[in-house]
Amino acid sequence: MRSGRTASPSAFVESLEGRIQFDGGVTIIVGGASQSAFAKPVAYASGGKGPQGVVTGDFNRDKKADIAYVNYGSNSVGIMLNTGSGSFGKAAVYANVGSALTSIAATDFNGDGYLDLAFVGKDLGVMFGKGNGTFNPVTHIALGKKPLTVITGDFNKDGRADIAATNFSSNTISVVLNRGRSRFFAPINSSGGNGPAGLVAGDFTGDGKLDIAVSDMGDGGTGGGAGVRVLVGAGNGSFAATGLLKVGSRPGSIAAGDLNKDGKLDLVTSNGGIVGISSGGQDSVSVLMGVGSGTFGAATSFATGSGPTSVVIADYNQDKRLDVLAANYGSSTISVLKGNNSGSLSVVESLPGATGNSSLAIADFNVDGKIDVVSTGFTAGTVVVYRHK
């Protein structure tokens, strides 16, 4: 992880230094040079309906990566603990913890050394971890209308992890600052543009303060178009919005990384909407190259499978060049687009995904030094694990 430039959803992910990027809560990918690099995927029942956002982390402190996800259709959170060999036991399901849940993130909010969870649906839910793979009852925090994506980061530079979320129907961004001792301040709401969907944190201006980039799907009722807005952080939890950057239609997910190694963060959006919320768009990802001080060049789009709803930036083939992977809901595939250190991408393969492929996360599940992948199958109701050979 590039220190000071991106926030991490979990302590486990932070240990993969220099090899990952994240989006919203949940989209991270690294490793694997080709489809043959992965063993046959293994599908696990999610224990609910419509699994969507997913995140990895060591929830029981056994130094092995576990999986947490939200079930959109059954209002639940699922936890799958690693058995130690990269396989997983039956999901433990926390029922009725929210409504229409879409995104999840993991970090240690209260400084006790245990990973906690934050997730969004009708509102924001926080469950504090006990360090043994179980969690305390949910704490609810009201946000705007129809929250879609949640991320964490230290937005006021006080050493505590804060929370940010998009509110699709009220066209706002909520920032929830951590006040310590498992408590949070009331949300600070600011304009999110027109149908804000995904968001990612990073220092886009190079001033040492976390900023937020937001993907607007363009159907939030304000009359604006689809695109990306950068919210420049003041370092105290407040943000100032910049103008709209045009990308493809229905940009649902957004990720950040330095694609051309110029020391400036670039942005990538998936242009296929958000599962269960707003579909359509273009079967593509759009790349915005950072030129410094929080500004970006014109977008370039690259074809993917059908209905990309999640995008990640990673060095997929370990050639020290960042690549892009997209989860395609419509074609139930994962598009792998190879980077060349210039910001240009070329499709190299299409991996089979879960039916209704919705979201992705990564970890070294079997502790062999190689990165494995997990995806959620919204339609199939499954969580699918791809172990690296």
Side-chain angles (χ1 to χ4, degrees):
M1 184 69 67
R2 291 167 175 81
S3 178
R5 300 193 62 185
T6 57
S8 173
S10 73
F12 176 84
V13 168
E14 286 171 347
S15 72
L16 301 172
E17 183 176 1
R19 292 191 289 165
I20 63 175
Q21 295 295 333
F22 86 99
D23 161 23
V26 291
T27 50
I28 311 171
I29 278 278
V30 183
S34 68
Q35 180 175 346
S36 61
F38 293 93
K40 182 178 179 180
V42 179
Y44 298 86
S46 72
K49 298 178 180 179
Q52 197 154 342
V54 61
V55 68
T56 62
D58 183 8
F59 301 121
N60 59 352
R61 295 171 58 87
D62 65 353
K63 298 183 179 180
K64 300 178 179 67
D66 310 306
I67 299 170
Y69 53 90
V70 291
N71 289 311
Y72 175 88
S74 53
N75 306 323
S76 60
V77 168
I79 307 294
M80 290 170 44
L81 296 180
N82 195 328
T83 63
S85 60
S87 58
F88 294 84
K90 182 179 179 180
V93 176
Y94 291 79
N96 301 316
V97 294
S99 177
L101 301 173
T102 54
S103 177
I104 187 168
T107 195
D108 181 6
F109 288 119
N110 54 4
D112 63 358
Y114 308 149
L115 283 180
D116 311 309
L117 297 174
F119 44 89
V120 291
K122 183 178 180 180
D123 58 12
L124 169 67
V126 177
M127 295 199 309
F128 293 99
K130 298 180 180 180
N132 60 0
T134 65
F135 293 83
N136 286 295
V138 63
T139 297
H140 292 283
I141 300 172
L143 300 177
K145 296 179 181 179
K146 195 175 285 187
L148 285 191
T149 303
V150 62
I151 61 171
T152 66
D154 184 2
F155 299 121
N156 59 351
K157 303 188 72 171
D158 66 351
R160 303 186 185 109
D162 308 308
I163 299 170
T166 53
N167 302 307
F168 179 75
S169 293
S170 54
N171 298 314
T172 58
I173 306 297
S174 292
V175 175
V176 183
L177 297 178
N178 191 336
R179 65 187 299 178
R181 298 184 180 181
S182 304
R183 300 172 299 166
F184 295 89
F185 290 102
I188 303 169
N189 296 316
S190 58
S191 174
N194 184 33
L199 73 172
V200 63
D203 182 6
F204 302 114
T205 59
D207 64 356
K209 302 167 186 174
L210 274 183
D211 311 305
I212 295 174
V214 183
S215 57
D216 286 346
M217 284 202 286
D219 49 2
T222 64
V228 169
R229 299 177 193 271
V230 175
L231 308 181
V232 178
N236 60 3
S238 65
F239 295 84
T242 60
L244 184 72
L245 303 167
K246 291 289 187 178
V247 294
S249 61
R250 293 289 196 276
S253 172
I254 186 168
D258 186 358
L259 295 175
N260 59 352
K261 290 190 174 181
D262 65 351
K264 303 176 182 70
L265 285 176
D266 311 307
L267 295 170
V268 181
T269 64
S270 60
N271 304 321
I274 295 286
V275 176
I277 303 298
S278 179
S279 60
Q282 300 169 336
D283 298 335
S284 67
V285 296
S286 292
V287 176
L288 292 162
M289 302 302 297
V291 295
S293 301
T295 59
F296 294 82
T300 303
S301 293
F302 301 89
T304 63
S306 173
T309 55
S310 178
V311 66
V312 297
I313 295 174
D315 182 8
Y316 172 74
N317 55 358
Q318 298 177 316
D319 64 354
K320 298 183 180 180
R321 300 173 181 177
L322 287 178
D323 312 304
V324 172
L325 294 93
N328 303 309
Y329 173 77
S331 54
S332 298
T333 58
I334 300 170
S335 293
V336 181
L337 297 92
K338 183 179 179 181
N340 62 4
N341 276 350
S342 70
S344 180
L345 303 171
S346 57
V347 177
V348 294
E349 62 179 298
S350 180
L351 303 176
T355 305
N357 198 22
S358 176
S359 188
L360 301 169
I362 63 94
D364 179 5
F365 291 127
N366 56 348
V367 199
D368 64 354
K370 302 174 184 177
I371 297 302
D372 311 307
V373 180
V374 57
S375 88
T376 50
F378 185 87
T379 305
T382 56
V383 177
V384 180
V385 174
Y386 303 77
R387 281 175 49 184
H388 204 292
K389 291 180 180 177

